[in-house]
Amino acid sequence: MSLSIKDLLEDKAYGLDLQLLCGDAGLVNRLYSSRIQKPGLALTGYTEHLHPDRVQVLGNTEISYLSQIPEEVGSRHIEKLCTYPIACFIVTKGLDPPEFLKRSAQGAGIPLLVTHHQSSTFISLITKFLEESLLPSTHIHGVLVDVLGVGVLLLGKSGIGKSECALDLVIRGHRLVADDVIHIKKKMPAALVGQAGETIQYHMEIRGLGIINIKDLYGVSSIREKKIIDMVLELVEWDANQEYERLGIDEPMKTILGVDLPHVKIPVRPGRNLTSIIEVAARNFLLKGMGYHSAREFHEKLLARLEFRPLGNEVE
């Protein structure tokens, strides 16, 4: 994942409040890391630990230093600094950088931007912006619902009844996160957060009815903007020749963005109350999280009874 310096300029949600001073040729430069750097000693010519791929933040200390040293010395150091592929310079507190910094940045095609935020505030804002923007992400076709606090991702082929199950869950008091296309981002170290696209947020498609707005129909308590995905339930058509899990001892996993999630396949056929099964699956997930595994406990008790079963009278 990466984003350009132009993306920083166009930000509205995080309030970075950036303006371009010069170096517009470098707006296509890409950022791959959420970490920033204050150049410090690099302004004196010592560039041993410079990370040019990071945003270089110049605060009051850096600008004061450049303004107080002889212009010839400062210009020489900045020109050396600009020989590196710097992603961009950002000056905080609305300070006016020295002219030799502007000339060198313009000549090297390095964007020089300014924000009115103080350094500490801006570093916090841009770090959060970069962390969110650079997270590994993907899109999945399905439905994401919050059932008893458990993020349940419903998968299955088109028309199998995912949206109808989600609607029934909402009617029972659970919450819709996303229907149809789910945007998933990986939160470090190993959590997946799903949400709907801005255009289809709170909406659901029910065949025969069309598009409905869950928020308008059932209120704000029926929806969530985003949710950590805890488990995957896949709805599959019932196949009499297929063997399905009967005990629940084995725990298959589905890997999304390198994160393993519990994966349960639920066969669909007339007469099965899928909504109740999904609720039970969520409750069972919570129970396992507390250290209780019903299937394994049952299996262990059964083995114990078989092991200590008294032998019957032998018939010769």
Side-chain angles (χ1 to χ4, degrees):
M1 296 292 295
S2 68
L3 69 159
S4 68
I5 306 304
K6 186 179 180 181
D7 294 327
L8 298 183
L9 271 176
E10 294 176 348
D11 163 67
K12 300 297 182 185
Y14 289 82
L16 298 180
D17 187 29
L18 290 169
Q19 295 179 348
L20 179 67
L21 295 180
C22 59
D24 56 330
L27 289 178
V28 295
N29 293 351
R30 310 296 297 183
L31 293 170
Y32 299 90
S33 172
S34 62
R35 302 184 65 181
I36 63 93
Q37 183 175 30
K38 297 196 74 174
L41 288 176
L43 299 178
T44 69
Y46 182 75
T47 57
E48 184 69 22
H49 299 289
L50 178 71
H51 298 278
D53 58 324
R54 300 179 187 174
V55 172
Q56 303 294 319
V57 177
L58 306 176
N60 188 49
T61 302
E62 290 81 8
I63 297 301
S64 296
Y65 169 75
L66 292 176
S67 300
Q68 292 175 14
I69 62 176
E71 182 175 344
E72 181 182 348
V73 175
S75 181
R76 184 169 67 250
H77 292 165
I78 292 299
E79 286 179 2
K80 177 184 177 181
L81 184 60
C82 289
T83 60
Y84 292 86
I86 303 291
C88 71
F89 293 113
I90 298 181
V91 179
T92 60
K93 294 185 69 175
L95 298 171
D96 186 24
E99 288 299 322
F100 59 80
L101 175 56
K102 296 178 183 178
R103 289 197 304 269
S104 297
Q106 179 67 27
I110 300 173
L112 176 60
L113 303 94
V114 63
T115 177
H116 287 86
H117 291 299
Q118 292 190 357
S119 295
S120 58
T121 302
F122 178 74
I123 289 172
S124 176
L125 289 173
I126 195 170
T127 299
K128 185 176 180 180
F129 171 80
L130 293 175
E131 285 177 348
E132 289 288 333
S133 302
L134 296 175
L135 288 173
S137 63
T138 188
H139 299 80
I140 287 183
H141 178 76
V143 181
L144 180 58
V145 285
D146 178 348
V147 182
L148 302 170
V150 179
V152 179
L153 175 60
L154 298 177
L155 301 181
K157 71 177 188 179
S158 180
I160 201 167
K162 301 184 297 296
S163 296
E164 288 78 2
C165 282
L167 179 59
D168 202 11
L169 287 166
V170 168
I171 293 173
R172 292 187 182 210
H174 304 294
R175 306 169 77 180
L176 173 72
V177 182
D179 179 62
D180 193 30
V181 178
I182 305 166
H183 299 268
I184 300 176
K185 285 189 176 183
K186 181 179 179 180
K187 294 275 189 177
M188 298 304 177
L192 299 179
V193 178
Q195 65 183 94
E198 185 176 350
T199 305
I200 61 174
Q201 193 174 37
Y202 313 139
H203 290 81
M204 179 183 289
E205 179 193 354
I206 302 296
R207 283 175 170 80
L209 288 179
I211 305 297
I212 60 175
N213 188 312
I214 296 298
K215 182 180 178 181
D216 291 345
L217 285 172
Y218 297 99
V220 294
S221 63
S222 65
I223 51 94
R224 287 196 64 160
E225 289 190 358
K226 57 181 66 175
K227 183 73 177 76
I228 292 178
I229 302 174
D230 296 301
M231 64 185 305
V232 178
L233 297 185
E234 184 177 358
L235 306 182
V236 296
E237 290 184 346
W238 186 283
D239 185 352
N241 299 317
Q242 179 71 34
E243 287 291 332
Y244 299 107
E245 183 63 46
R246 299 290 296 273
L247 295 178
I249 296 175
D250 297 329
E251 293 186 303
M253 294 289 178
K254 183 176 182 64
T255 303
I256 302 175
L257 293 175
V259 178
D260 291 333
L261 298 171
H263 182 200
V264 180
K265 288 187 177 181
I266 301 179
V268 177
R269 73 172 181 180
R272 301 202 83 197
N273 190 329
L274 295 180
T275 308
S276 295
I277 293 174
I278 294 170
E279 281 186 330
V280 171
R283 291 179 184 275
N284 200 39
F285 176 86
L286 292 172
L287 201 61
K288 291 178 182 178
M290 297 175 65
Y292 299 97
H293 198 298
S294 303
R296 288 178 183 173
E297 288 184 6
F298 172 79
H299 184 64
E300 290 170 2
K301 289 179 181 178
L302 184 61
L303 290 178
R305 293 194 64 178
L306 291 174
E307 183 177 351
F308 294 104
R309 185 179 61 181
L311 295 176
N313 294 329
E314 295 182 0
V315 178
E316 296 184 357

